[in-house]
Amino acid sequence: MAKINMLQAINDALTIAMETDDKAVIFGEDVGHFGGVFRATSGLQDKFGRDRCFNTPLTEQGIAGFANGLASNGMTAIAEIQFADYIFPAFDQIVNESAKFRYRSGNEFNVGGITYRTPYGGGIAGGHYHSQSPEAYFTQTPGLKVVVPRNAYQAKGLLLASIRDKNPVVFFEPKRLYRASVGEVPDEAYEIELGKAEVVQEGTDITVLAWGAQMEIVDEAAKMAAKKGISCEVIDLRTLAPWDVDTVAASVKKTGRLVINHEAPLTGGFAGEIAATIQQECFLYLESPISRVCGLDTPYPLIHEKEYMPDALKTFEAIKASMKY
Amino acid sequence: MSNATSNTETVHRVSFLDKDSLSIPILKILQADGTTFENAVLPVIDQDLAAKIYDTCVFTRVLDERMLAAQRQGRISFYMTCTGEEAAVVGSVAALDQDDVILAQYREHAAIRYRGFTTEQFMNQMFSNEKDLGKGRQMPIHYGCEALNYQTISSPLATQIPQATGVGYSLKMQGKRNVAICYFGEGAASEGDFHAGLNMAAVLNSPVIFFCRNNGYAISTPTNEQFAGNGIASRGVGYGMHTIRVDGNDMLAVMAATQQARAYALEHNKPVLIEAMTYRLGAHSSSDDPSGYRSKDEEAKWQQHDPVKRFKLWLINKGWLAESDDAAMYEKYREEVLAAVKVAEKLPAPGIDEIIEDVLDEPTPRLKQQLTELKQHIKKYPDSYPRSAGRD
């Protein structure tokens, strides 16, 4: 087992997907010879040829529309949107087309073979057009799966599972971890089941929930809390749609408290959905209100990125406030 | 660095190009009286094929007439006719192979009929009954059928255009000797998806025929408020693809152009754009009244270019059709459609369980729970949900 970074793990998953499925095609802006702006697709064009790994013109709506057409006719489409901030021109093709193809046709046609890979999130001094976390827009759309890995190991297993899943998946990659997250990743193929959360650390006093890049943040906050004698159960949601209500509810029934952390703005964010559901499932077990530590309701700022971020310190404060409630 | 242009001519004083710089002729084969132009090169067509084409036209005319009336009677919620554009649709589909994939807009039901969609299947879709292939999920006229390679219609405009590029590419990758054909109106060509789809097809070498029905109006907006350039054809040239403009009311011209477009697309793995100049004789939809935005004189002028009548005259000239047979065909389809309406409207709606099917490949636990709660609610108030109450 080698120690590799998240980009290498993604490249590994893509290589396996292409080797094991001759109908798999990878495309997007600069993904061909150049290997993508982050180099996630490095070497794939050399290995699999220009017909199976290629550049498209600069058109996100075209990329998503093309993916719909490919997948509707039996191909496995792996499309890269260069930044999640630029997924909005493709929004109609994803939420009105990819998501509804199967439903609207009564399963005469489906585009289950699509995976949209896209780097998301802040922490790279990218300002508001290279830092957004638009996952909630997609979780509101029936017919899509939404997946976010937190490290290299997950990136490989979740991406391979997403590509092989029979439904269109929007796969958000935490770009600030692309090179920063290094870990042991098996050489061989493996999949991590979609729709299942992972209890990363067991605890008894409070449940702390996040996904993707924010898992590093909540881990740090949990360590700070441990020094104050607070035992955190830390959960990585991994798949946002459909999300694992059972695992989260079981944890909150045990701890009686829940803090949810995400980078996207508070209002309308996915934490709201989790809070509402857990409030209903666990009402009689709750010892304090469910707390959300999120981005502000502003576009993502450049110079005040550190202040804006739902960081470990803010999460630690929310954990303490919940314990004292 | 590459910067490919096809010529290197230079000038040394300012000289602009305008829309008339590109002269685009219109292919015409069939004249108004049913004879062909001198020296015209006909498409490949024999008596059986001609009969099938005409049969499809007659059925479509009857379907449109009867279903528009059914909508006026409140029996279905919505309808759109193909009236005036039959040659564009049938002439093109008749030039294709049955395994070529059709991605239509919404006004091309003649094409799915040509492929074999039965009168009963039309009705099941329009009445959203339990036999509808689409399981009662979309408005009337949103047909689709996997067995006929006719992708299910999507209401948002132009979304099928980049999808057709993907379908064409997939056919090429799978080594099939087939093309995708994508229908759209000149209004849809204003959407970003049009640009995205054509540009990608040209750059990525996708065998797809982009078929524009330039029918004069996008709901109420005439073409001169839709585009300022030289129609849609000039854009095909701009994207670097083979392009042709045809008389869209001329069955033989449409067929000839599409036959050759298909052959070219297959041979070279490249897209082709066809702009068919036609006219929407009917309203945009059953919710529209064209008298508010166009004159009776204009409509009367276009009635004289009726594509079905023109083709019929050609058939009669050839001795392939008699006037008496024609009347009998109309009568046969009127009876068939009315009988099918009566059957389809009495069939029950799809079962309520199907409401959660096909969202994902399998319903999630949450979705199953939502269905359970919904069914309990329906059971409690059966009178308020007559379509679903009392059924499993």
Side-chain angles (χ1 to χ4, degrees), chain B residues 25-32 37 84-89 91-92 211-212 214 244-258 274-279 302 304-307 310:
Chain B
I26 301 181
L27 176 70
K28 286 175 178 283
I29 291 177
L30 192 54
Q31 306 195 76
F37 284 94
E85 299 172 65
E86 291 91 345
V89 179
S92 52
F211 194 99
C212 177
N214 187 339
I244 186 168
R245 179 175 280 163
V246 301
D247 179 345
N249 286 10
D250 176 343
M251 189 71 75
L252 299 179
V254 172
M255 268 191 90
T258 312
I274 298 174
E275 182 181 26
M277 309 307 285
T278 180
Y279 189 81
W302 278 95
Q304 291 165 19
H305 298 281
D306 184 329
R310 200 192 306 181

mmCIF file of all heavy atoms in Angstrom, chain B residues 25-32 37 84-89 91-92 211-212 214 244-258 274-279 302 304-307 310:
data_model
loop_
_atom_site.group_PDB
_atom_site.id
_atom_site.type_symbol
_atom_site.label_atom_id
_atom_site.label_comp_id
_atom_site.label_asym_id
_atom_site.label_seq_id
_atom_site.Cartn_x
_atom_site.Cartn_y
_atom_site.Cartn_z
ATOM 1 N N PRO B 25 -28.383 29.333 -50.888
ATOM 2 C CA PRO B 25 -29.519 28.955 -51.736
ATOM 3 C C PRO B 25 -30.462 27.998 -51.007
ATOM 4 O O PRO B 25 -30.079 27.372 -50.015
ATOM 5 C CB PRO B 25 -28.846 28.236 -52.908
ATOM 6 C CG PRO B 25 -27.579 27.691 -52.338
ATOM 7 C CD PRO B 25 -27.148 28.642 -51.266
ATOM 8 N N ILE B 26 -31.694 27.909 -51.495
ATOM 9 C CA ILE B 26 -32.666 26.977 -50.923
ATOM 10 C C ILE B 26 -32.884 25.825 -51.898
ATOM 11 O O ILE B 26 -33.225 26.055 -53.071
ATOM 12 C CB ILE B 26 -34.025 27.670 -50.677
ATOM 13 C CG1 ILE B 26 -33.851 28.854 -49.716
ATOM 14 C CG2 ILE B 26 -35.044 26.680 -50.106
ATOM 15 C CD1 ILE B 26 -35.148 29.575 -49.407
ATOM 16 N N LEU B 27 -32.720 24.608 -51.410
ATOM 17 C CA LEU B 27 -32.954 23.436 -52.249
ATOM 18 C C LEU B 27 -34.458 23.236 -52.439
ATOM 19 O O LEU B 27 -35.209 23.138 -51.472
ATOM 20 C CB LEU B 27 -32.346 22.183 -51.591
ATOM 21 C CG LEU B 27 -32.624 20.863 -52.332
ATOM 22 C CD1 LEU B 27 -31.851 20.798 -53.648
ATOM 23 C CD2 LEU B 27 -32.297 19.653 -51.464
ATOM 24 N N LYS B 28 -34.883 23.198 -53.717
ATOM 25 C CA LYS B 28 -36.283 22.935 -54.048
ATOM 26 C C LYS B 28 -36.327 21.840 -55.109
ATOM 27 O O LYS B 28 -35.595 21.910 -56.087
ATOM 28 C CB LYS B 28 -36.963 24.182 -54.610
ATOM 29 C CG LYS B 28 -37.279 25.267 -53.585
ATOM 30 C CD LYS B 28 -37.847 26.495 -54.293
ATOM 31 C CE LYS B 28 -38.225 27.602 -53.321
ATOM 32 N NZ LYS B 28 -39.488 27.333 -52.614
ATOM 33 N N ILE B 29 -37.168 20.862 -54.924
ATOM 34 C CA ILE B 29 -37.308 19.782 -55.901
ATOM 35 C C ILE B 29 -38.739 19.695 -56.438
ATOM 36 O O ILE B 29 -38.978 19.552 -57.623
ATOM 37 C CB ILE B 29 -36.869 18.431 -55.279
ATOM 38 C CG1 ILE B 29 -35.340 18.452 -55.043
ATOM 39 C CG2 ILE B 29 -37.264 17.254 -56.189
ATOM 40 C CD1 ILE B 29 -34.771 17.218 -54.382
ATOM 41 N N LEU B 30 -39.689 19.839 -55.513
ATOM 42 C CA LEU B 30 -41.091 19.638 -55.856
ATOM 43 C C LEU B 30 -41.802 20.989 -56.023
ATOM 44 O O LEU B 30 -41.722 21.846 -55.147
ATOM 45 C CB LEU B 30 -41.742 18.822 -54.727
ATOM 46 C CG LEU B 30 -43.114 18.229 -54.905
ATOM 47 C CD1 LEU B 30 -43.205 17.362 -56.155
ATOM 48 C CD2 LEU B 30 -43.458 17.393 -53.664
ATOM 49 N N GLN B 31 -42.520 21.136 -57.149
ATOM 50 C CA GLN B 31 -43.250 22.391 -57.373
ATOM 51 C C GLN B 31 -44.656 22.305 -56.778
ATOM 52 O O GLN B 31 -45.139 21.228 -56.430
ATOM 53 C CB GLN B 31 -43.335 22.690 -58.864
ATOM 54 C CG GLN B 31 -41.952 22.696 -59.519
ATOM 55 C CD GLN B 31 -41.978 23.344 -60.888
ATOM 56 O OE1 GLN B 31 -42.042 24.573 -61.020
ATOM 57 N NE2 GLN B 31 -41.932 22.518 -61.925
ATOM 58 N N ALA B 32 -45.311 23.473 -56.703
ATOM 59 C CA ALA B 32 -46.631 23.550 -56.071
ATOM 60 C C ALA B 32 -47.658 22.641 -56.753
ATOM 61 O O ALA B 32 -48.576 22.130 -56.109
ATOM 62 C CB ALA B 32 -47.128 24.991 -56.073
ATOM 63 N N PHE B 37 -38.978 20.209 -60.395
ATOM 64 C CA PHE B 37 -38.226 21.181 -61.177
ATOM 65 C C PHE B 37 -37.357 20.467 -62.208
ATOM 66 O O PHE B 37 -36.866 19.362 -61.953
ATOM 67 C CB PHE B 37 -37.331 22.023 -60.265
ATOM 68 C CG PHE B 37 -38.078 23.066 -59.486
ATOM 69 C CD1 PHE B 37 -38.519 22.806 -58.198
ATOM 70 C CD2 PHE B 37 -38.356 24.314 -60.049
ATOM 71 C CE1 PHE B 37 -39.208 23.771 -57.474
ATOM 72 C CE2 PHE B 37 -39.051 25.287 -59.334
ATOM 73 C CZ PHE B 37 -39.484 25.015 -58.037
ATOM 74 N N GLY B 84 -48.508 21.954 -41.000
ATOM 75 C CA GLY B 84 -47.696 22.838 -41.836
ATOM 76 C C GLY B 84 -46.247 22.394 -41.904
ATOM 77 O O GLY B 84 -45.512 22.794 -42.804
ATOM 78 N N GLU B 85 -45.829 21.590 -40.931
ATOM 79 C CA GLU B 85 -44.421 21.195 -40.872
ATOM 80 C C GLU B 85 -44.217 19.703 -41.125
ATOM 81 O O GLU B 85 -43.160 19.147 -40.820
ATOM 82 C CB GLU B 85 -43.840 21.585 -39.505
ATOM 83 C CG GLU B 85 -43.911 23.086 -39.274
ATOM 84 C CD GLU B 85 -43.527 23.481 -37.861
ATOM 85 O OE1 GLU B 85 -42.359 23.278 -37.513
ATOM 86 O OE2 GLU B 85 -44.388 23.968 -37.114
ATOM 87 N N GLU B 86 -45.229 19.054 -41.683
ATOM 88 C CA GLU B 86 -45.157 17.601 -41.872
ATOM 89 C C GLU B 86 -44.013 17.186 -42.806
ATOM 90 O O GLU B 86 -43.354 16.167 -42.563
ATOM 91 C CB GLU B 86 -46.482 17.057 -42.424
ATOM 92 C CG GLU B 86 -47.646 17.129 -41.438
ATOM 93 C CD GLU B 86 -48.436 18.417 -41.543
ATOM 94 O OE1 GLU B 86 -47.939 19.389 -42.168
ATOM 95 O OE2 GLU B 86 -49.558 18.471 -41.013
ATOM 96 N N ALA B 87 -43.787 17.983 -43.855
ATOM 97 C CA ALA B 87 -42.733 17.584 -44.792
ATOM 98 C C ALA B 87 -41.366 17.642 -44.135
ATOM 99 O O ALA B 87 -40.511 16.781 -44.353
ATOM 100 C CB ALA B 87 -42.759 18.469 -46.037
ATOM 101 N N ALA B 88 -41.158 18.659 -43.295
ATOM 102 C CA ALA B 88 -39.870 18.787 -42.615
ATOM 103 C C ALA B 88 -39.615 17.562 -41.740
ATOM 104 O O ALA B 88 -38.516 17.009 -41.722
ATOM 105 C CB ALA B 88 -39.849 20.071 -41.783
ATOM 106 N N VAL B 89 -40.653 17.152 -41.022
ATOM 107 C CA VAL B 89 -40.469 16.059 -40.061
ATOM 108 C C VAL B 89 -40.464 14.695 -40.757
ATOM 109 O O VAL B 89 -39.543 13.896 -40.568
ATOM 110 C CB VAL B 89 -41.567 16.119 -38.968
ATOM 111 C CG1 VAL B 89 -41.396 14.960 -37.991
ATOM 112 C CG2 VAL B 89 -41.524 17.454 -38.237
ATOM 113 N N GLY B 91 -40.254 13.973 -44.031
ATOM 114 C CA GLY B 91 -39.239 13.881 -45.079
ATOM 115 C C GLY B 91 -37.869 13.542 -44.501
ATOM 116 O O GLY B 91 -37.089 12.787 -45.090
ATOM 117 N N SER B 92 -37.575 14.089 -43.324
ATOM 118 C CA SER B 92 -36.266 13.813 -42.727
ATOM 119 C C SER B 92 -36.225 12.429 -42.089
ATOM 120 O O SER B 92 -35.263 11.684 -42.288
ATOM 121 C CB SER B 92 -35.901 14.903 -41.715
ATOM 122 O OG SER B 92 -36.943 15.093 -40.776
ATOM 123 N N PHE B 211 -31.339 19.387 -37.170
ATOM 124 C CA PHE B 211 -32.424 19.706 -38.107
ATOM 125 C C PHE B 211 -33.270 20.841 -37.540
ATOM 126 O O PHE B 211 -34.059 20.649 -36.604
ATOM 127 C CB PHE B 211 -33.285 18.468 -38.353
ATOM 128 C CG PHE B 211 -34.195 18.626 -39.542
ATOM 129 C CD1 PHE B 211 -33.855 18.078 -40.780
ATOM 130 C CD2 PHE B 211 -35.369 19.368 -39.444
ATOM 131 C CE1 PHE B 211 -34.680 18.255 -41.884
ATOM 132 C CE2 PHE B 211 -36.202 19.554 -40.545
ATOM 133 C CZ PHE B 211 -35.856 18.985 -41.771
ATOM 134 N N CYS B 212 -33.099 22.027 -38.103
ATOM 135 C CA CYS B 212 -33.855 23.190 -37.633
ATOM 136 C C CYS B 212 -35.124 23.355 -38.453
ATOM 137 O O CYS B 212 -35.083 23.491 -39.669
ATOM 138 C CB CYS B 212 -33.002 24.455 -37.758
ATOM 139 S SG CYS B 212 -33.914 25.939 -37.260
ATOM 140 N N ASN B 214 -37.297 25.940 -39.251
ATOM 141 C CA ASN B 214 -37.483 27.392 -39.183
ATOM 142 C C ASN B 214 -38.914 27.672 -39.628
ATOM 143 O O ASN B 214 -39.207 27.812 -40.803
ATOM 144 C CB ASN B 214 -36.464 28.096 -40.086
ATOM 145 C CG ASN B 214 -36.515 29.603 -39.904
ATOM 146 O OD1 ASN B 214 -37.527 30.147 -39.429
ATOM 147 N ND2 ASN B 214 -35.443 30.274 -40.270
ATOM 148 N N ILE B 244 -26.977 23.005 -45.097
ATOM 149 C CA ILE B 244 -27.847 23.177 -46.267
ATOM 150 C C ILE B 244 -29.168 23.799 -45.825
ATOM 151 O O ILE B 244 -29.662 23.527 -44.721
ATOM 152 C CB ILE B 244 -28.081 21.830 -47.004
ATOM 153 C CG1 ILE B 244 -28.866 22.050 -48.307
ATOM 154 C CG2 ILE B 244 -28.791 20.818 -46.101
ATOM 155 C CD1 ILE B 244 -28.886 20.828 -49.224
ATOM 156 N N ARG B 245 -29.692 24.654 -46.700
ATOM 157 C CA ARG B 245 -31.025 25.243 -46.448
ATOM 158 C C ARG B 245 -31.976 24.631 -47.466
ATOM 159 O O ARG B 245 -31.671 24.609 -48.669
ATOM 160 C CB ARG B 245 -30.958 26.757 -46.600
ATOM 161 C CG ARG B 245 -32.280 27.467 -46.377
ATOM 162 C CD ARG B 245 -32.103 28.979 -46.429
ATOM 163 N NE ARG B 245 -31.583 29.485 -45.163
ATOM 164 C CZ ARG B 245 -31.025 30.690 -45.005
ATOM 165 N NH1 ARG B 245 -30.864 31.489 -46.040
ATOM 166 N NH2 ARG B 245 -30.597 31.077 -43.824
ATOM 167 N N VAL B 246 -33.102 24.138 -46.995
ATOM 168 C CA VAL B 246 -34.053 23.499 -47.909
ATOM 169 C C VAL B 246 -35.443 24.114 -47.749
ATOM 170 O O VAL B 246 -35.754 24.727 -46.727
ATOM 171 C CB VAL B 246 -34.176 21.968 -47.647
ATOM 172 C CG1 VAL B 246 -32.828 21.288 -47.810
ATOM 173 C CG2 VAL B 246 -34.756 21.681 -46.282
ATOM 174 N N ASP B 247 -36.235 23.920 -48.760
ATOM 175 C CA ASP B 247 -37.661 24.262 -48.668
ATOM 176 C C ASP B 247 -38.297 23.215 -47.745
ATOM 177 O O ASP B 247 -38.440 22.051 -48.118
ATOM 178 C CB ASP B 247 -38.295 24.216 -50.060
ATOM 179 C CG ASP B 247 -39.799 24.530 -50.029
ATOM 180 O OD1 ASP B 247 -40.394 24.504 -48.934
ATOM 181 O OD2 ASP B 247 -40.367 24.778 -51.112
ATOM 182 N N GLY B 248 -38.668 23.656 -46.565
ATOM 183 C CA GLY B 248 -39.177 22.709 -45.571
ATOM 184 C C GLY B 248 -40.576 22.213 -45.849
ATOM 185 O O GLY B 248 -41.084 21.345 -45.140
ATOM 186 N N ASN B 249 -41.224 22.763 -46.881
ATOM 187 C CA ASN B 249 -42.551 22.284 -47.260
ATOM 188 C C ASN B 249 -42.483 21.376 -48.493
ATOM 189 O O ASN B 249 -43.508 21.043 -49.080
ATOM 190 C CB ASN B 249 -43.487 23.471 -47.540
ATOM 191 C CG ASN B 249 -43.900 24.162 -46.245
ATOM 192 O OD1 ASN B 249 -43.357 23.888 -45.185
ATOM 193 N ND2 ASN B 249 -44.881 25.050 -46.342
ATOM 194 N N ASP B 250 -41.276 21.017 -48.831
ATOM 195 C CA ASP B 250 -41.031 20.193 -50.023
ATOM 196 C C ASP B 250 -40.504 18.839 -49.548
ATOM 197 O O ASP B 250 -39.338 18.697 -49.174
ATOM 198 C CB ASP B 250 -39.996 20.932 -50.900
ATOM 199 C CG ASP B 250 -39.563 20.139 -52.134
ATOM 200 O OD1 ASP B 250 -39.787 18.911 -52.189
ATOM 201 O OD2 ASP B 250 -38.968 20.774 -53.026
ATOM 202 N N MET B 251 -41.388 17.856 -49.547
ATOM 203 C CA MET B 251 -41.047 16.536 -49.019
ATOM 204 C C MET B 251 -39.792 15.968 -49.675
ATOM 205 O O MET B 251 -38.925 15.404 -49.004
ATOM 206 C CB MET B 251 -42.231 15.578 -49.256
ATOM 207 C CG MET B 251 -42.108 14.233 -48.584
ATOM 208 S SD MET B 251 -42.285 14.335 -46.796
ATOM 209 C CE MET B 251 -44.062 14.570 -46.645
ATOM 210 N N LEU B 252 -39.690 16.119 -50.994
ATOM 211 C CA LEU B 252 -38.584 15.500 -51.717
ATOM 212 C C LEU B 252 -37.261 16.224 -51.451
ATOM 213 O O LEU B 252 -36.211 15.588 -51.332
ATOM 214 C CB LEU B 252 -38.886 15.463 -53.221
ATOM 215 C CG LEU B 252 -40.137 14.655 -53.599
ATOM 216 C CD1 LEU B 252 -40.361 14.716 -55.110
ATOM 217 C CD2 LEU B 252 -40.033 13.202 -53.130
ATOM 218 N N ALA B 253 -37.330 17.548 -51.294
ATOM 219 C CA ALA B 253 -36.109 18.313 -51.004
ATOM 220 C C ALA B 253 -35.588 17.952 -49.614
ATOM 221 O O ALA B 253 -34.384 17.762 -49.414
ATOM 222 C CB ALA B 253 -36.393 19.814 -51.104
ATOM 223 N N VAL B 254 -36.504 17.848 -48.653
ATOM 224 C CA VAL B 254 -36.094 17.504 -47.286
ATOM 225 C C VAL B 254 -35.471 16.102 -47.271
ATOM 226 O O VAL B 254 -34.419 15.866 -46.668
ATOM 227 C CB VAL B 254 -37.280 17.581 -46.307
ATOM 228 C CG1 VAL B 254 -36.887 17.038 -44.930
ATOM 229 C CG2 VAL B 254 -37.793 19.012 -46.186
ATOM 230 N N MET B 255 -36.117 15.183 -47.962
ATOM 231 C CA MET B 255 -35.597 13.811 -48.020
ATOM 232 C C MET B 255 -34.221 13.753 -48.649
ATOM 233 O O MET B 255 -33.300 13.114 -48.131
ATOM 234 C CB MET B 255 -36.526 12.931 -48.868
ATOM 235 C CG MET B 255 -37.580 12.214 -48.106
ATOM 236 S SD MET B 255 -38.350 10.994 -49.202
ATOM 237 C CE MET B 255 -37.308 9.580 -48.891
ATOM 238 N N ALA B 256 -34.083 14.428 -49.775
ATOM 239 C CA ALA B 256 -32.805 14.389 -50.496
ATOM 240 C C ALA B 256 -31.690 14.949 -49.617
ATOM 241 O O ALA B 256 -30.611 14.359 -49.494
ATOM 242 C CB ALA B 256 -32.914 15.186 -51.793
ATOM 243 N N ALA B 257 -31.963 16.078 -48.986
ATOM 244 C CA ALA B 257 -30.940 16.715 -48.145
ATOM 245 C C ALA B 257 -30.570 15.808 -46.969
ATOM 246 O O ALA B 257 -29.393 15.658 -46.626
ATOM 247 C CB ALA B 257 -31.453 18.059 -47.645
ATOM 248 N N THR B 258 -31.584 15.194 -46.361
ATOM 249 C CA THR B 258 -31.314 14.382 -45.173
ATOM 250 C C THR B 258 -30.595 13.087 -45.533
ATOM 251 O O THR B 258 -29.698 12.642 -44.811
ATOM 252 C CB THR B 258 -32.628 14.089 -44.416
ATOM 253 O OG1 THR B 258 -33.366 15.306 -44.268
ATOM 254 C CG2 THR B 258 -32.350 13.509 -43.029
ATOM 255 N N ILE B 274 -29.136 21.182 -41.135
ATOM 256 C CA ILE B 274 -30.164 21.401 -42.153
ATOM 257 C C ILE B 274 -31.133 22.458 -41.619
ATOM 258 O O ILE B 274 -31.654 22.316 -40.509
ATOM 259 C CB ILE B 274 -30.941 20.102 -42.455
ATOM 260 C CG1 ILE B 274 -29.997 19.028 -43.019
ATOM 261 C CG2 ILE B 274 -32.092 20.376 -43.439
ATOM 262 C CD1 ILE B 274 -30.656 17.659 -43.205
ATOM 263 N N GLU B 275 -31.322 23.514 -42.381
ATOM 264 C CA GLU B 275 -32.330 24.504 -42.013
ATOM 265 C C GLU B 275 -33.507 24.363 -42.979
ATOM 266 O O GLU B 275 -33.359 24.602 -44.184
ATOM 267 C CB GLU B 275 -31.771 25.932 -42.081
ATOM 268 C CG GLU B 275 -32.808 26.975 -41.651
ATOM 269 C CD GLU B 275 -32.298 28.413 -41.735
ATOM 270 O OE1 GLU B 275 -31.383 28.692 -42.551
ATOM 271 O OE2 GLU B 275 -32.818 29.273 -40.984
ATOM 272 N N ALA B 276 -34.644 23.938 -42.453
ATOM 273 C CA ALA B 276 -35.829 23.736 -43.288
ATOM 274 C C ALA B 276 -36.745 24.950 -43.145
ATOM 275 O O ALA B 276 -37.259 25.225 -42.070
ATOM 276 C CB ALA B 276 -36.552 22.464 -42.854
ATOM 277 N N MET B 277 -36.928 25.673 -44.262
ATOM 278 C CA MET B 277 -37.764 26.884 -44.238
ATOM 279 C C MET B 277 -39.223 26.457 -44.380
ATOM 280 O O MET B 277 -39.656 25.993 -45.432
ATOM 281 C CB MET B 277 -37.371 27.821 -45.381
ATOM 282 C CG MET B 277 -35.872 28.119 -45.461
ATOM 283 S SD MET B 277 -35.152 28.707 -43.914
ATOM 284 C CE MET B 277 -35.781 30.394 -43.905
ATOM 285 N N THR B 278 -39.971 26.613 -43.286
ATOM 286 C CA THR B 278 -41.349 26.151 -43.310
ATOM 287 C C THR B 278 -42.242 27.175 -42.601
ATOM 288 O O THR B 278 -41.833 28.332 -42.429
ATOM 289 C CB THR B 278 -41.436 24.724 -42.687
ATOM 290 O OG1 THR B 278 -42.775 24.277 -42.702
ATOM 291 C CG2 THR B 278 -40.874 24.664 -41.285
ATOM 292 N N TYR B 279 -43.415 26.769 -42.214
ATOM 293 C CA TYR B 279 -44.335 27.703 -41.568
ATOM 294 C C TYR B 279 -45.277 26.915 -40.661
ATOM 295 O O TYR B 279 -45.811 25.872 -41.057
ATOM 296 C CB TYR B 279 -45.161 28.466 -42.617
ATOM 297 C CG TYR B 279 -45.978 29.604 -42.036
ATOM 298 C CD1 TYR B 279 -45.395 30.833 -41.760
ATOM 299 C CD2 TYR B 279 -47.331 29.439 -41.770
ATOM 300 C CE1 TYR B 279 -46.127 31.886 -41.230
ATOM 301 C CE2 TYR B 279 -48.081 30.485 -41.247
ATOM 302 C CZ TYR B 279 -47.476 31.712 -40.973
ATOM 303 O OH TYR B 279 -48.214 32.729 -40.447
ATOM 304 N N TRP B 302 -49.603 31.050 -46.762
ATOM 305 C CA TRP B 302 -48.851 29.819 -46.458
ATOM 306 C C TRP B 302 -49.704 28.571 -46.654
ATOM 307 O O TRP B 302 -49.167 27.497 -46.921
ATOM 308 C CB TRP B 302 -48.258 29.888 -45.048
ATOM 309 C CG TRP B 302 -46.979 30.657 -45.044
ATOM 310 C CD1 TRP B 302 -46.805 31.985 -44.770
ATOM 311 C CD2 TRP B 302 -45.679 30.154 -45.386
ATOM 312 N NE1 TRP B 302 -45.495 32.340 -44.919
ATOM 313 C CE2 TRP B 302 -44.773 31.236 -45.289
ATOM 314 C CE3 TRP B 302 -45.191 28.904 -45.778
ATOM 315 C CZ2 TRP B 302 -43.404 31.096 -45.551
ATOM 316 C CZ3 TRP B 302 -43.829 28.757 -46.018
ATOM 317 C CH2 TRP B 302 -42.954 29.847 -45.914
ATOM 318 N N GLN B 304 -51.308 28.004 -49.128
ATOM 319 C CA GLN B 304 -51.066 27.605 -50.516
ATOM 320 C C GLN B 304 -49.791 26.780 -50.673
ATOM 321 O O GLN B 304 -49.551 26.182 -51.717
ATOM 322 C CB GLN B 304 -50.989 28.855 -51.401
ATOM 323 C CG GLN B 304 -52.344 29.555 -51.531
ATOM 324 C CD GLN B 304 -52.199 30.965 -52.081
ATOM 325 O OE1 GLN B 304 -51.177 31.288 -52.682
ATOM 326 N NE2 GLN B 304 -53.189 31.805 -51.844
ATOM 327 N N HIS B 305 -48.955 26.816 -49.633
ATOM 328 C CA HIS B 305 -47.721 26.015 -49.684
ATOM 329 C C HIS B 305 -47.849 24.743 -48.864
ATOM 330 O O HIS B 305 -46.841 24.168 -48.478
ATOM 331 C CB HIS B 305 -46.543 26.842 -49.164
ATOM 332 C CG HIS B 305 -46.249 28.063 -49.980
ATOM 333 N ND1 HIS B 305 -45.561 28.005 -51.168
ATOM 334 C CD2 HIS B 305 -46.563 29.371 -49.777
ATOM 335 C CE1 HIS B 305 -45.454 29.237 -51.659
ATOM 336 N NE2 HIS B 305 -46.063 30.074 -50.842
ATOM 337 N N ASP B 306 -49.081 24.346 -48.584
ATOM 338 C CA ASP B 306 -49.330 23.165 -47.742
ATOM 339 C C ASP B 306 -48.480 21.968 -48.201
ATOM 340 O O ASP B 306 -48.630 21.486 -49.334
ATOM 341 C CB ASP B 306 -50.819 22.811 -47.823
ATOM 342 C CG ASP B 306 -51.187 21.656 -46.895
ATOM 343 O OD1 ASP B 306 -50.320 20.782 -46.668
ATOM 344 O OD2 ASP B 306 -52.325 21.633 -46.415
ATOM 345 N N PRO B 307 -47.586 21.500 -47.342
ATOM 346 C CA PRO B 307 -46.640 20.452 -47.761
ATOM 347 C C PRO B 307 -47.320 19.108 -48.038
ATOM 348 O O PRO B 307 -46.842 18.348 -48.890
ATOM 349 C CB PRO B 307 -45.690 20.332 -46.564
ATOM 350 C CG PRO B 307 -46.478 20.849 -45.394
ATOM 351 C CD PRO B 307 -47.376 21.908 -45.946
ATOM 352 N N ARG B 310 -49.001 19.309 -51.484
ATOM 353 C CA ARG B 310 -48.015 19.302 -52.568
ATOM 354 C C ARG B 310 -47.508 17.873 -52.827
ATOM 355 O O ARG B 310 -47.384 17.442 -53.963
ATOM 356 C CB ARG B 310 -46.834 20.221 -52.223
ATOM 357 C CG ARG B 310 -46.051 20.639 -53.449
ATOM 358 C CD ARG B 310 -44.731 21.308 -53.151
ATOM 359 N NE ARG B 310 -44.840 22.463 -52.247
ATOM 360 C CZ ARG B 310 -43.793 23.197 -51.883
ATOM 361 N NH1 ARG B 310 -42.581 22.924 -52.354
ATOM 362 N NH2 ARG B 310 -43.937 24.204 -51.055
#
